Amino acid sequence: MVVMRLISGSLEITAALFMFRFNNLEKAFYINTMLALVGPTVLIITTAVAMFGLADKISMTRMICLFAGVTLILISMNAK
């Protein structure tokens, strides 16, 4: 999980540097759009890794609630 978050953070910083370097609104918008794909993917992967690691320590009800929470976060990102 730590490695995934470090990679994600590095991508965010790199994207910000590219936006600064290009100094173009259209290119910045394109870069930002690509980052919108990275965030949810990292969220899903890190949550799945944690859930598999904790599967024997937490109840099924709690797992369902956690996955429902992640699902609601993803749905809210696409809501108008």
Side-chain angles (χ1 to χ4, degrees):
M1 284 177 37
V2 172
V3 172
M4 285 299 299
R5 287 295 174 185
L6 286 172
I7 291 170
S8 175
S10 298
L11 285 172
E12 296 275 345
I13 291 170
T14 303
L17 291 173
F18 277 131
M19 288 180 196
F20 183 72
R21 175 154 164 67
F22 291 135
N23 197 23
N24 182 327
L25 185 60
E26 289 180 27
K27 289 181 182 179
F29 180 72
Y30 178 74
I31 292 168
N32 194 51
T33 303
M34 296 307 281
L35 282 177
L37 298 173
V38 173
T41 305
V42 171
L43 173 69
I44 291 169
I45 291 171
T46 56
T47 302
V49 168
M51 294 305 292
F52 288 123
L54 296 173
D56 59 337
K57 296 180 183 177
I58 59 175
S59 68
M60 184 60 105
T61 305
R62 202 166 209 187
M63 268 197 221
I64 292 170
C65 288
L66 286 170
F67 276 120
V70 170
T71 303
L72 289 174
I73 290 170
L74 294 173
I75 290 170
S76 70
M77 290 171 58
N78 291 328
K80 291 182 182 179

